[in-house]
Amino acid sequence: MTLVLDPFYLIVDSAAWVRRLVPLGVKLIQLRIKGESDAAIARQIREAKICCEHYGAHLVVNDYWRLAIAEGCTFVHLGQEDLAGADLAAIRAAGIRLGVSTHDHTELDQALSVAPDYVALGPIYPTVLKQMPWNPQGLSRITEWKQLIGEIPLVAIGGLTIDRIPGVLAAGADSAAVVTDILRHPDPEHQTRRWIAATRAIV
């Protein structure tokens, strides 16, 4: 059965953000933590999972697939480098759904070779989150990617704002992922509610 993703996909870097924003109605959230020990990340995954289960949200663990298996999580997201070193059989055996990042056709071919549950494409627009070797993809690339992947859900990420949501979803994305437009906003709670309202008004 084809996975149906919520059109609003929030990405955060701590369990504290999960506890803060999931109660507002977030239904799809990725925990992407860098630079901490496995033990510390495992604790945060555990805390985030409890919160998400309470509020009926899907928790996606970025990169740390072994910890996701150990903590009984249901979603993992892997970048291309992480994908190369992952035990995909173990991930599937644990019943975990898999999302994969893509930035060009070679990476898309690699992603599709592992039968992902969703594909992410980025950056759609310039992003301040991190330096990337890829130029902004633009809306036309979203449409191209959706034609290539068919029924597999497509997540657009990179430089997305509320004003850009309609164009992104109209171009073919099933879900719009956001980081800085919420986490660096002066009022993250208010901005989260705006994102929820904007995405659900379209779909």
Side-chain angles (χ1 to χ4, degrees), residues 113-136:
S113 74
V114 302
D117 293 286
Y118 75 80
V119 169
L121 170 67
I124 306 304
Y125 295 98
T127 175
V128 299
L129 184 62
K130 57 184 177 180
Q131 292 294 322
M132 291 188 173
W134 303 278
N135 292 323

Side-chain angles (χ1 to χ4, degrees), residues 30-200:
Q30 182 183 132
L31 186 60
R32 182 167 67 186
I33 304 174
K34 305 293 182 182
E36 294 191 18
S37 69
D38 282 6
I41 292 173
R43 285 194 297 272
Q44 295 215 49
I45 290 173
R46 203 170 303 131
E47 293 174 17
K49 182 170 178 279
I50 290 170
C51 179
C52 287
E53 288 176 345
H54 180 77
Y55 288 98
H58 292 295
L59 175 67
V60 183
V61 175
N62 180 277
D63 185 11
Y64 290 89
W65 57 269
R66 292 182 182 86
L67 297 180
I69 292 173
E71 296 299 331
C73 296
T74 55
F75 277 88
V76 163
H77 183 94
L78 298 177
Q80 292 285 319
E81 292 181 1
D82 302 319
L83 181 64
D87 186 339
L88 298 175
I91 292 171
R92 294 304 189 188
I96 293 177
R97 291 187 180 270
L98 176 65
V100 180
S101 295
T102 66
H103 306 89
D104 57 36
H105 286 90
T106 300
E107 292 189 351
L108 178 59
D109 290 342
Q110 180 61 31
L112 293 178
S113 74
V114 302
D117 293 286
Y118 75 80
V119 169
L121 170 67
I124 306 304
Y125 295 98
T127 175
V128 299
L129 184 62
K130 57 184 177 180
Q131 292 294 322
M132 291 188 173
W134 303 278
N135 292 323
Q137 306 281 355
L139 297 180
S140 62
R141 185 60 66 89
I142 294 175
T143 302
E144 178 188 356
W145 248 231
K146 189 58 183 174
Q147 291 171 345
L148 291 171
I149 69 176
E151 293 185 355
I152 300 172
L154 177 61
V155 175
I157 184 171
L160 302 192
T161 62
I162 289 174
D163 291 341
R164 290 169 170 168
I165 292 171
V168 165
L169 297 182
D174 298 283
S175 185
V178 60
V179 186
T180 58
D181 194 53
I182 288 178
L183 301 193
R184 295 188 182 180
H185 193 275
D187 188 344
E189 285 83 0
H190 174 69
Q191 192 72 343
T192 296
R193 292 187 181 97
R194 291 184 67 212
W195 265 82
I196 291 172
T199 51
R200 296 188 185 158

